[in-house]
Amino acid sequence: MHVDHQHVVWADTDAGGRIHWSVVCRWAEAAEHTYLRTLGWQPEEARSFPRRSTRATYHRPLRFGQRFELRLGIERVGTSSVTFVWTVVSEGETCVSGRHTVVHIDGAGRPAPWPDHLRAGLAGGGRGAGSGAQARTGQGTSPE
């Protein structure tokens, strides 16, 4: 599991003072990129890894200045895709849970096998970590 420690910045909030619904996708993607870099992924490769699907469930509000952890785990590693699961936890409470699937594509835009070094690192380092992260929050729910 990979954990990013962050805080809510003003630009991430809406007129009501809560985080804008869309910001969690950016946070999850940033955590994914940080994690992938530990496996040897290079930022210039980003165009080869589009999102296939995303899903988020909002449990509790987050507000400007609030500290949180984004806990990123791996649910499934396929040949051409990886599904990440994640939770945003603040003060011991799950605020947002979600998942997103990333597909590796070739130069023609077709699904292609993930590079061996990344696939090996993903397959060996985090399968099921998302549910473990939630068990520690006391929420007992898994992202869907």
Side-chain angles (χ1 to χ4, degrees), residues 24 55-60 86 94-99 142-144:
V24 296
R55 182 171 180 174
T57 302
Y58 301 85
H59 305 281
R60 290 182 170 68
W86 43 269
T94 297
C95 299
V96 187
S97 58
R99 67 174 19 94
S142 62
E144 295 184 30

Side-chain angles (χ1 to χ4, degrees), residues 6 18 21 38 40 45 64 66 69 77 86 94 102 121 123 129 131 138:
Q6 301 181 41
R18 297 177 177 195
W21 66 270
T38 70
E45 295 177 282
F64 171 68
Q66 193 169 349
E69 294 180 346
V77 178
W86 43 269
T94 297
V102 180
S131 57

Side-chain angles (χ1 to χ4, degrees), residues 7-11 13 17-19 62-67:
H7 65 278
V8 178
V9 298
W10 185 254
T13 61
R18 297 177 177 195
I19 61 164
L62 284 161
R63 299 184 184 281
F64 171 68
Q66 193 169 349
R67 295 194 167 281

Side-chain angles (χ1 to χ4, degrees), residues 2 4 25-39 41 46 49-51 70 72 82 84 86 100-103 114 122:
H2 173 80
D4 271 0
C25 294
R26 186 169 35 92
W27 293 344
E29 185 174 52
E32 171 202 333
H33 290 177
T34 300
Y35 178 63
L36 288 175
R37 280 193 299 273
T38 70
L39 302 178
W41 178 82
F49 296 89
R51 299 324 165 237
L70 192 139
L72 180 80
V82 174
F84 293 95
W86 43 269
H100 65 271
T101 300
V102 180
V103 177
W114 273 63
L122 291 164

